[in-house]
Amino acid sequence: MKAFSSKHLLDRKESVQMAVTIHDVAREAGVGIGTVSRVVNNSPRVKPETRERVLAAIDKLQYRPDPIARSMISKRTNSLGIIVPFFTRPFSMEVLCGVEAVSARLGRELVLYNVETDAQRDRYFSELPMHRKVDGLLIVSLSPDDTVSRRFRDAELPVVLIDAYSPMFTSLVVNNVDGAYQAVKHLIEKGHRRIGFINGLIEGNFKFNQANDRLIGLHRAFGEAGLPFEPELALTSEWSRIGGKRAALQLLSQPKRPTALFAASDMQAVGVLGAAKELGIAVPDQLSVIGFDGIEVSELLELSTVQQPLQEMGEVGAAALVELIDNPAQTPELIRFDTRLIERHTTGPVPSSTHDPEAQALRESEAPPRLVVSGSTGPIPEE
């Protein structure tokens, strides 16, 4: 236990007694305490000249509102909650960066609720509407069912969904179907016909729709190109590097292995690169690899990928939640984000050793004409 001198205690008592109050500010500015409160809470119902006078008094007296007292009066905590599964995953971290940037700019505290089990998710969905520890809630990649949605709505707790959808809430979603379609179409245009797919597992009861949507996109690209879907070339794994590597080792060990692999996430694609290296398969000369998400590591490894605007989704979601807190009567809206194909160094033409007449014909039709000079044994090199 710390010991304090009598002088220290007297100094503390004096400093407490001299603490500036809202009454002091009101007296200095020549207004009522209600006006000071409205200025502090940024209410528009204050004349500009009066606001300036109150702000000058606050600055002169160095008045600092008590956040606990303010929350008791306003019934607000000045904090935003965010429920996110497996928040250490790069996908979640990039969304969180966007959320944090906006919450910091708007002076809101951020309270993180990490979910790794069904029980954790259910507890948060049950307790948060009752306890109101936050002013509003962002829910990432988890779609609450109708019962849970009604619980949030009845508690009048503002909710915005990111990477998930419910008609009851403002929802931010990415066009996963089109993103996967673009990835597979890119491989087909490179001449690949034997394309493997590593999808993500549906973990627990979380009901992630992303895996389903990306499989639909693959089927669409196959159907458009007249290619059959070969079940032996499609596996599921954890949304992780280790899971992607295990699945890739299995696919690449087949007698007639795929010439290209599409992974449902960048981290799984990183695992594919590891498997190819272990098996001595050169990327992209012998195997093309493309991922999905566009996380930072994809740029570092020069991985071809489908870019999701992850940080932008976090920023827009946080801004939408703050707006909803201030204007609760807003109608829920669906906000869609497009993906973007980014071709880097892990995708290339189908290997020339592949015995596929259709692919060979496509390669020959797309190859540039060879200009041969008399007496030359090959094409003129480009300058």
Side-chain angles (χ1 to χ4, degrees):
M1 178 181 295
K2 290 185 177 180
F4 297 99
S5 67
S6 58
K7 182 178 183 303
H8 177 84
L9 293 175
L10 286 172
D11 289 344
R12 278 190 63 186
K13 182 178 180 182
E14 185 179 352
S15 67
V16 171
Q17 288 175 339
M18 294 178 63
V20 178
T21 68
I22 192 171
H23 295 276
D24 297 325
V25 175
R27 190 161 44 249
E28 176 71 24
V31 298
I33 61 172
T35 302
V36 177
S37 177
R38 284 191 288 274
V39 171
V40 168
N41 289 289
N42 203 28
S43 170
R45 296 186 298 114
V46 181
K47 293 180 179 179
E49 59 270 20
T50 303
R51 183 184 301 278
E52 289 299 322
R53 198 161 70 249
V54 171
L55 290 174
I58 289 173
D59 185 58
K60 177 181 177 181
L61 299 176
Q62 295 186 344
Y63 171 63
R64 296 292 179 268
D66 183 343
I68 297 177
R70 285 181 66 188
S71 66
M72 291 175 67
I73 294 170
S74 66
K75 295 183 180 179
R76 289 190 179 182
T77 65
N78 205 37
S79 59
L80 309 178
I82 178 166
I83 298 178
V84 56
F86 312 104
F87 86 97
T88 56
R89 290 179 176 173
F91 172 93
S92 302
M93 293 297 290
E94 297 208 19
V95 172
L96 280 169
C97 282
V99 173
E100 198 278 331
V102 170
S103 61
R105 187 169 70 245
L106 299 179
R108 307 295 175 112
E109 297 289 334
L110 194 60
V111 181
L112 175 66
Y113 299 95
N114 181 40
V115 173
E116 297 199 10
T117 65
D118 294 343
Q120 280 182 317
R121 177 206 56 196
D122 294 343
R123 186 173 79 252
Y124 292 146
F125 281 178
S126 175
E127 293 179 357
L128 287 174
M130 294 188 299
H131 298 318
R132 293 302 294 259
K133 295 179 180 179
V134 294
D135 296 331
L137 196 59
L138 290 165
I139 303 177
V140 180
S141 300
L142 301 171
S143 297
D145 61 25
D146 290 345
T147 301
V148 172
S149 297
R150 283 193 294 269
R151 188 183 302 149
F152 283 124
R153 187 187 59 189
D154 293 344
E156 298 182 344
L157 179 64
V159 171
V160 170
L161 305 183
I162 298 177
D163 194 39
Y165 172 73
S166 168
M168 294 189 187
F169 305 121
T170 290
S171 303
L172 284 64
V173 299
V174 162
N175 194 336
N176 283 289
V177 173
D178 185 67
Y181 164 79
Q182 294 295 339
V184 178
K185 181 182 178 183
H186 170 67
L187 297 174
I188 293 172
E189 289 175 345
K190 293 287 185 182
H192 296 278
R193 294 298 178 267
R194 192 166 175 79
I195 300 170
F197 179 43
I198 301 177
N199 206 352
L201 289 174
I202 298 177
E203 292 153 294
N205 247 341
F206 287 175
K207 298 181 180 177
F208 291 142
N209 290 321
Q210 298 87 337
N212 218 20
D213 289 347
R214 291 170 198 179
L215 179 60
I216 292 172
L218 176 136
H219 277 290
R220 179 181 295 177
F222 276 10
E224 185 181 275
L227 297 178
F229 175 72
E230 302 178 66
E232 69 273 15
L233 294 183
L235 296 178
T236 57
S237 80
E238 297 85 358
W239 300 81
S240 66
R241 178 184 62 82
I242 294 175
K245 182 177 181 180
R246 287 174 181 161
L249 287 171
Q250 189 173 336
L251 289 170
L252 297 175
S253 297
Q254 295 184 15
K256 189 180 179 184
R257 71 184 186 219
T259 63
L261 283 178
F262 167 43
S265 73
D266 283 344
M267 288 310 298
Q268 289 166 295
V270 171
V272 174
L273 296 178
K277 183 177 181 180
E278 187 172 305
L279 295 173
I281 300 172
V283 175
D285 294 341
Q286 296 174 297
L287 175 72
S288 286
V289 179
I290 190 167
F292 200 112
D293 284 338
I295 59 176
E296 187 175 8
V297 71
S298 69
E299 184 174 358
L300 295 174
L301 296 179
E302 298 185 318
L303 173 71
S304 295
T305 188
V306 175
Q307 175 79 58
Q308 296 193 72
L310 301 178
Q311 290 196 25
E312 183 185 357
M313 290 170 66
E315 292 171 358
V316 174
L321 181 60
V322 171
E323 187 176 344
L324 183 60
I325 291 169
D326 293 337
N327 303 284
Q330 289 185 67
T331 302
E333 58 179 327
L334 177 61
I335 302 173
R336 293 184 182 274
F337 293 83
D338 290 327
T339 58
R340 182 166 61 96
L341 177 71
I342 299 180
E343 181 180 1
R344 295 195 177 106
H345 293 168
T346 59
T347 50
V350 64
S352 57
S353 59
T354 302
H355 300 295
D356 185 335
E358 185 181 356
Q360 179 64 28
L362 180 65
R363 284 198 304 274
E364 292 175 354
S365 67
E366 293 178 345
R370 291 165 62 91
L371 178 61
V372 181
V373 179
S374 177
S376 168
T377 57
I380 297 176
E382 296 181 1
E383 294 183 358

